[in-house]
C-alpha cells in the first residue's frame, strides 16, 4: 500500500528539482560564453546572461526560467488535487536556492512570473505589464522585478483569487529578500541603471 503522503512529497521534490535547473548557467557554458557566476553580478538569471553580449541567450534564459515555473504548476495540478500552487512554489524555491549551486541561485522574478501565469493568467498579464512598466519607467532592473512580484498577490486579490494570495505573497516576500542588496543601494542612491556597466541583475 502506497502511503498517502508519498505523492505530495514526490511532487514537492519534482517541483524543486525542475526549478533548480540553472538554464542561464547551462546555456552560457554550452555556447562558450563562460561561467556565468564569474560574470557581472554572478547571478544565474537572464539579466546577467545579457552581460555576455548574447541577447539570444538572455531571451532563452528568461523564457526557460519562466517555463519551468509554469510547467511545475501544470504538472502539480495534473498529479495532485490542488497541487499546482505547492509545486510552483517549490520550483521558485529551487530556482532561488538550487542544491547544485550550493543554494546560490537567481532572484526568482522570471520563474515567479511563470508560476503566477500558470496559476491565473490574468494575474500573469498584470505581472508582465508591471515588470516592463517599472523597468522602462525607472531604468532599474531591480525595481521592475520587485514591483512585478509585489503586484502578484494584489492582482490575485483583485481578481477574486483569494486562495492564491498567500502563496504569491510568500513568493513576493522572498523576491524582496533576494533583492535586499539592491534595496540598500537604492536607498543610498547607488543602484546602477540598466545599460550601465555596473547594473545589477533583477533575475
Amino acid at each position: 500500500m502506497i502511503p498517502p503522503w508519498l505523492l505530495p512529497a514526490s511532487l514537492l521534490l519534482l517541483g524543486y528539482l525542475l526549478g533548480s535547473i540553472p538554464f542561464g548557467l547551462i546555456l552560457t557554458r554550452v555556447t562558450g560564453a563562460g561561467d556565468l557566476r564569474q560574470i557581472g553580478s554572478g547571478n544565474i538569471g537572464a539579466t546577467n546572461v545579457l552581460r555576455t553580449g548574447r541577447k539570444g541567450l538572455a531571451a532563452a534564459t528568461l523564457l526557460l526560467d519562466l517555463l519551468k515555473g509554469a510547467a511545475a504548476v501544470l504538472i502539480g495540478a495534473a498529479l495532485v488535487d490542488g497541487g499546482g500552487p505547492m509545486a510552483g512554489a517549490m520550483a521558485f524555491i529551487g530556482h532561488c536556492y538550487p542544491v547544485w549551486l550550493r543554494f546560490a541561485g537567481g532572484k526568482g522574478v522570471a520563474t515567479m512570473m511563470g508560476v503566477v501565469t500558470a496559476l491565473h493568467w490574468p494575474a500573469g498579464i498584470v505581472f508582465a505589464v508591471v515588470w516592463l512598466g517599472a523597468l522602462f519607467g525607472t531604468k532599474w532592473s531591480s525595481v521592475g522585478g520587485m514591483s512585478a512580484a509585489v503586484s502578484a498577490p494584489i492582482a490575485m486579490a483583485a481578481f477574486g483569487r483569494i486562495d492564491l494570495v498567500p502563496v504569491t505573497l510568500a513568493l513576493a516576500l522572498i523576491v524582496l529578500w533576494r533583492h535586499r542588496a539592491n534595496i540598500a543601494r537604492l536607498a543610498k542612491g547607488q543602484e546602477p541603471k540598466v545599460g550601465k556597466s555596473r547594473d545589477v541583475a533583477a533575475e
Side-chain angles (χ1 to χ4, degrees):
M1 182 177 176
I2 300 177
W5 54 265
L6 184 59
L7 184 55
S10 299
L11 181 60
L12 292 176
L13 178 61
L14 177 62
Y16 175 83
L17 293 177
L18 180 59
S20 69
I21 301 173
F23 285 116
L25 182 61
I26 293 171
L27 290 175
T28 50
R29 278 190 171 179
V30 300
T31 57
D35 187 339
L36 192 58
R37 294 169 296 177
Q38 304 302 318
I39 298 171
S41 67
N43 205 278
I44 65 170
T47 305
N48 205 36
V49 174
L50 190 60
R51 292 191 179 89
T52 66
R54 308 282 189 89
K55 294 181 180 180
L57 286 184
T61 300
L62 178 66
L63 179 61
L64 289 170
D65 283 346
L66 187 155
L67 288 176
K68 69 185 181 184
V73 171
L74 297 176
I75 293 171
L79 295 180
V80 176
D81 185 30
M86 66 178 183
M90 287 306 296
F92 172 85
I93 295 298
H95 176 81
C96 294
Y97 305 100
V99 63
W100 326 112
L101 303 179
R102 298 182 180 180
F103 305 103
K107 296 185 178 179
V109 179
T111 302
M112 182 176 176
M113 179 177 172
V115 171
V116 171
T117 302
L119 288 174
H120 190 62
W121 67 264
I125 292 177
V126 172
F127 190 107
V129 170
V130 171
W131 189 1
L132 294 175
L135 172 60
F136 289 109
T138 67
K139 304 300 182 183
W140 280 312
S141 182
S142 56
V143 171
M146 289 189 289
S147 298
V150 171
S151 76
I154 297 173
M156 290 298 187
F159 288 123
R161 293 304 307 268
I162 304 302
D163 57 313
L164 296 176
V165 170
V167 65
T168 51
L169 177 59
L171 299 190
L173 291 174
I174 293 174
V175 167
L176 294 178
W177 172 253
R178 299 288 291 172
H179 282 84
R180 60 193 182 278
N182 303 81
I183 294 172
R185 283 190 292 271
L186 285 166
K188 296 176 182 178
Q190 299 174 350
E191 177 79 335
K193 295 191 175 184
V194 172
K196 302 297 183 181
S197 60
R198 295 174 53 239
D199 69 323
V200 179
E203 195 21 38

